[in-house]
Amino acid sequence: MPALATEMEKKAATVLCIDDEQTALHLRQSVLESAGYRVLTAKSGARGMEVFRSQSVHAVVLDYWMADMNGMQVAREIRKLNPKVPIIILSAYGELLDESLGIADLWIRKGEEDPQYLLSSLEELLKNRPIASQRV
Amino acid sequence: MHENRRAFQFGRQRIYNQFLGMASRLTNPGQGSVSGPDRDRLSLVIENFGDPVIVADHTARVTLLDSVSKRLFGSDKAGGEDGIAANRTKLDRYLTAFTFSVLECQDKTISFYDPNLQSEVEYAAHSIKIYDSRGQCAHTVTVLRDCSNSNKVERLQLERRMEMEKFAATGKLAGTIAHEINNPMEAIKNAVYLLRDRVDPASRPIYDALKSETERVTRIVRQMLGLYRNAGTFGSFDLNGVIEDTLTLFSRPLEKARVVVDKRFGQLPAIKGSADQFRQLLSNLVVNAADSMPKGGKLTIRTRYTQSASTGYGQCSLTVADTGTGIPPAIRPAIFDPFVSTKGEKGTGLGLWIVKGIVEGHSGRILVRSTVGRGTIIKIIFPVSPD
Ligand SMILES: Nc1ncnc2c1ncn2[C@@H]1O[C@H](COP(=O)(O)OP(=O)(O)OP(=O)(O)O)[C@@H](O)[C@H]1O
Ligand SMILES: [Mg+2]
């Protein structure tokens, strides 16, 4: 029973991916789609916020380094709108760890982990939380 | 290169005596020219001497500089820093005077510019002639001994500080590069992952190579980042505890590799330094030891604390010994240099370089003893100040 539920949640789950690097964003989208997620993409923090406000999103995967606003700012804005939605921040920089505690659910060191790590973490985060819609 | 020298310094006095003995035997006319085993031993001795050694031929042309004197006089090709060029000129003048003199040996004081200290340092130059079978001067050997003994401690401290700064700067650079690599790495890994089911059988080996080489880059970057991340956090920690933690982490793989672990912990005071760095140091040494015992063996980890009754100063030692293959002699002088590895794509060659940086950051020393076919002992000694 629980396995089935997870599978269904995953099918239904929409992940918002935010990154200002086109290639990276596109590949990450494909990886998430290959695992059955519906993926929305945004090429800037501001655009990401627009998408988050206008659509139903179950989880957010965002890059820390973006030209307009950094990943932490985006995460804070999202938290204001929805304190529960899982947020994963990707960063090649280690210093983020402390800063992100309490805001992002997970911080993944870009490039060091395999894509499977992102997928299994996402699955875990979506399983442990009641699915929240975009507005509280 | 000269940084490694410290590791080998424990045998220096012995080497010095050996050197003088050999030199006097070789300078004895009628004993033949420097050849065969004596020549090999001579170069071995020179390489492990610790003080600058210069060998020149009968025309006063320098034929051999050990790594310490390369630091003062540059490598074969002249040039580079002004100070080094000036040293070279001084040396040439000195050698010419001695070689064409009637003297068999000579002692003289010369000052040379030390590029590390960025100042002039006084040396006692001791030179001897080596004669060929006809009694002609074939070579001269010159040893420079640092006279500023009174400043020796200060100089060592200064040198150590400069080395640490160099290491920190290198670490920072390595960290920056590693981060820059990690951005595209994520994309590459995603791409490799997406291709996993779409490769036709004929192209499979190419795909596998792509995948394993990508993992290799990850390992290099991880080592570099480890160095960077652990740069700062100094505190007080229980070394035996850190060792226990690290060994727990490795207990599974060690068991699988049929490596028996023998722990011999001494009573230690709290160590001042970075526990994270010691974890990194230890895991590098443990992995090296395990790698050297592909058919299993024994890994001994020992800690010890000794204290001077008069001064209250103590020192702590950490020994990691294995019964493995031993370090190939050819790479021994370079094991602490970055990117030196015999493990092909499985090794980054950064492990011992990082170990060295960490040990120096804790004002410690590393002693290495290794016998091919029998095993390797790495001993780390660092001071523990009282309070
Ligand atoms: N305990 C040991 N026994 C035998 N050889 C060793 C041992 N430790 C180091 N070496 C030799 O020294 C080389 C350099 O070691 P180092 O730890 O710097 O790099 P590595 O082990 O090759 O790579 P990495 O540490 O990144 O996996 C090794 O490749 C190996 O040849
Ligand atoms: Mg190693």
Side-chain angles (χ1 to χ4, degrees), chain A residues 19 21 23-24 27-28 30-31 34 63 90 92-95 107 109-116 118-119, chain B residues 176 178-180 182-191 193-194 196 198 211 215 218 221-222 225 228-229:
Chain A
D19 195 335
E21 273 185 55
T23 311
L27 287 165
R28 212 175 291 134
S30 305
V31 166
S34 78
D63 189 50
L90 305 171
Y93 285 81
E95 306 79 69
W107 163 86
R109 276 184 225 139
K110 232 173 160 178
E112 276 193 52
E113 309 291 351
D114 291 333
Q116 288 95 322
L118 172 65
L119 294 178
Chain B
T176 310
H179 286 137
E180 288 309 318
N182 262 347
N183 269 313
M185 265 312 276
E186 190 234 5
I188 294 171
K189 284 193 164 174
N190 283 342
Y193 174 78
L194 288 167
R196 74 199 183 286
R198 305 185 199 175
K211 196 167 173 223
E215 273 154 21
T218 310
V221 170
R222 195 171 291 149
L225 278 176
Y228 181 62
R229 287 209 183 95

Side-chain angles (χ1 to χ4, degrees), chain B residues 230-246 265-283 303-305 316-318 358-359 361-364 380-385 387:
Chain B
N230 297 338
T233 50
F234 269 58
S236 189
F237 67 95
D238 162 27
L239 179 60
N240 289 338
V242 163
I243 299 174
E244 279 291 2
D245 289 354
T246 313
F265 293 163
Q267 279 267 340
L268 306 182
I271 305 294
K272 283 190 207 73
S274 160
D276 275 346
Q277 288 190 8
F278 266 84
R279 263 178 220 117
Q280 201 184 358
L281 174 149
L282 209 73
S283 45
T303 58
R304 227 170 99 90
Y305 176 70
C316 200
S317 70
L318 160 64
I358 292 173
V359 170
H362 290 80
S363 306
I380 287 159
I381 302 173
F382 50 94
V384 180
S385 50
D387 56 9

